[in-house]
Amino acid sequence: MSEGLRKDYRIGEEIGRGRFGVVYRCYSLDSGEVFAVKSVDKSLLADAVDRECAEREAKITQLAAVGNPHAVQIYAMYEDEEAIHMVIDLCDGGDLFDRIATGGGAEMGEAEAAALVKSLMEAVAVCHRRGVAHRDLKPDNVLFDSEGRLRLADFGSAECFGDGRPMTGVVGTPYYVAPEVVAGGEYGEKVDVWSAGVMLYIMLGGIPPFYGETAAEVFEAVLRGNLRFPTRVFSGVSSSAKDLIRRMLCKDVFRRFSAEQVLTHSWITSSGGTRFVADPT
């Protein structure tokens, strides 16, 4: 571990592990506050591209997090011969995948889903205003802190856009990736809205909107974009919720909602304590 890191923090137990490194619990020697430190092992960065991605993740996380209460904050960075270390918020309240899995695939209540989507889209809207697209929104990257607050995490696939600069490259996770990403070529920040729409569909229905046995089959289904609401799982879901999903999972990027538009949709704005009336269709 970096000498500078150990000078400022006491390193605790391992709490997570990823492709390039390990996450530990850590404690500020100055304040006693608890954080997490993500240590990226340089030996696992196979080439200059991997190293550039690791360094870019730290910079983009900083850009996206400042003044963004629903994004994981980065507090300090250290580097030594072995690793790059990022001190970030400790999110020990699990992730959205856990919450969905806890229900055994059963649908989530609309009020809870609306509150989660609102917090997520608030985080994404701040990112987009700052010219950052996450590009890998999925339940595993939506974390919760000890007080249950949603925190958007893992900007490893994020990219900056703006000034007419489109993004390229097939990144993301099959079930959640937008059709314009799968198709190749250039795309914009609304890919994040599509991914969030997939998450909303799963929260309310317990199943993905576009399914396949293999990644290739999933991509084919995404490209077709044939959005349906099977009665057996969506019979109790309101027409307003379905309307928002349609606007988020719209293949026509120009007609697809932006993050800001999602936040102004009636299903989101009326979610506080409102009882949703199920759509009979």
Side-chain angles (χ1 to χ4, degrees), residues 90-188:
L90 174 66
C91 294
D92 55 359
D95 58 32
L96 183 55
F97 182 85
D98 296 331
R99 293 201 178 189
I100 294 172
T102 298
E107 68 277 5
M108 181 182 291
E110 288 195 38
E112 181 182 2
L116 291 172
V117 171
K118 180 181 179 181
S119 295
L120 177 59
M121 286 292 95
E122 286 174 346
V124 171
V126 172
C127 292
H128 289 180
R129 287 197 295 270
R130 292 176 180 169
V132 173
H134 188 281
R135 300 203 302 173
D136 194 20
L137 290 185
K138 58 184 177 181
D140 316 57
N141 290 337
V142 178
L143 309 182
F144 299 92
D145 62 20
S146 58
E147 297 181 10
R149 292 173 298 195
L150 181 148
R151 299 296 185 96
L152 178 59
D154 197 346
F155 286 81
S157 298
E159 185 61 273
C160 293
F161 65 90
D163 300 325
R165 292 175 300 162
M167 294 174 285
T168 59
V170 178
V171 296
T173 303
Y175 282 118
Y176 305 94
V177 70
E180 61 267 31
V181 175
V182 178
E186 301 176 343
Y187 52 84

Side-chain angles (χ1 to χ4, degrees), residues 8-49:
D8 298 329
Y9 297 89
R10 178 168 65 85
I11 309 304
E13 72 276 18
E14 178 182 325
I15 56 176
R17 184 174 288 266
R19 178 185 172 194
F20 290 127
V22 184
V23 180
Y24 301 93
R25 189 184 302 267
C26 69
Y27 306 82
S28 169
L29 295 176
D30 181 46
S31 67
E33 289 183 272
V34 186
F35 298 94
V37 58
K38 182 175 183 179
S39 296
V40 179
D41 189 339
K42 289 182 180 178
S43 69
L44 299 178
L45 303 177
D47 51 33
V49 174

Side-chain angles (χ1 to χ4, degrees), residues 20-271:
F20 290 127
V22 184
V23 180
Y24 301 93
R25 189 184 302 267
C26 69
Y27 306 82
S28 169
L29 295 176
D30 181 46
S31 67
E33 289 183 272
V34 186
F35 298 94
V37 58
K38 182 175 183 179
S39 296
V40 179
D41 189 339
K42 289 182 180 178
S43 69
L44 299 178
L45 303 177
D47 51 33
V49 174
D50 283 342
R51 181 180 174 82
E52 181 184 347
C53 287
E55 293 174 343
R56 188 178 70 223
E57 177 183 358
K59 293 176 182 177
I60 290 181
T61 300
Q62 285 182 310
L63 175 62
V66 175
N68 192 347
H70 292 299
V72 167
Q73 307 292 308
I74 181 168
Y75 297 95
M77 274 191 64
Y78 302 86
E79 184 171 359
D80 53 40
E81 292 184 0
E82 290 79 30
I84 299 170
H85 311 279
M86 291 183 288
V87 178
I88 58 178
D89 283 312
L90 174 66
C91 294
D92 55 359
D95 58 32
L96 183 55
F97 182 85
D98 296 331
R99 293 201 178 189
I100 294 172
T102 298
E107 68 277 5
M108 181 182 291
E110 288 195 38
E112 181 182 2
L116 291 172
V117 171
K118 180 181 179 181
S119 295
L120 177 59
M121 286 292 95
E122 286 174 346
V124 171
V126 172
C127 292
H128 289 180
R129 287 197 295 270
R130 292 176 180 169
V132 173
H134 188 281
R135 300 203 302 173
D136 194 20
L137 290 185
K138 58 184 177 181
D140 316 57
N141 290 337
V142 178
L143 309 182
F144 299 92
D145 62 20
S146 58
E147 297 181 10
R149 292 173 298 195
L150 181 148
R151 299 296 185 96
L152 178 59
D154 197 346
F155 286 81
S157 298
E159 185 61 273
C160 293
F161 65 90
D163 300 325
R165 292 175 300 162
M167 294 174 285
T168 59
V170 178
V171 296
T173 303
Y175 282 118
Y176 305 94
V177 70
E180 61 267 31
V181 175
V182 178
E186 301 176 343
Y187 52 84
E189 73 278 9
K190 285 186 180 180
V191 296
D192 288 342
V193 177
W194 176 280
S195 300
V198 173
M199 284 192 279
L200 175 55
Y201 186 102
I202 294 173
M203 280 189 266
L204 295 179
I207 57 174
F210 310 107
Y211 180 77
E213 294 291 339
T214 65
E217 289 180 0
V218 174
F219 285 150
E220 289 176 5
V222 169
L223 285 172
R224 287 195 298 271
N226 187 12
L227 181 63
R228 295 178 177 175
F229 296 97
T231 303
R232 62 185 176 83
V233 291
F234 280 93
S235 60
V237 176
S238 68
S239 58
S240 181
K242 293 176 186 177
D243 179 72
L244 178 56
I245 292 173
R246 290 189 185 97
R247 294 174 187 274
M248 296 173 77
L249 296 181
C250 179
K251 281 189 66 179
D252 185 339
V253 178
F254 295 101
R255 291 175 54 234
R256 185 185 308 161
F257 265 16
S258 66
E260 298 279 5
Q261 287 175 308
V262 172
L263 290 170
T264 63
H265 190 275
S266 59
W267 187 72
I268 297 294
T269 59
S270 65
S271 62

Side-chain angles (χ1 to χ4, degrees), residues 111 270-278:
S270 65
S271 62
T274 301
R275 180 180 180 274
F276 291 96
V277 180

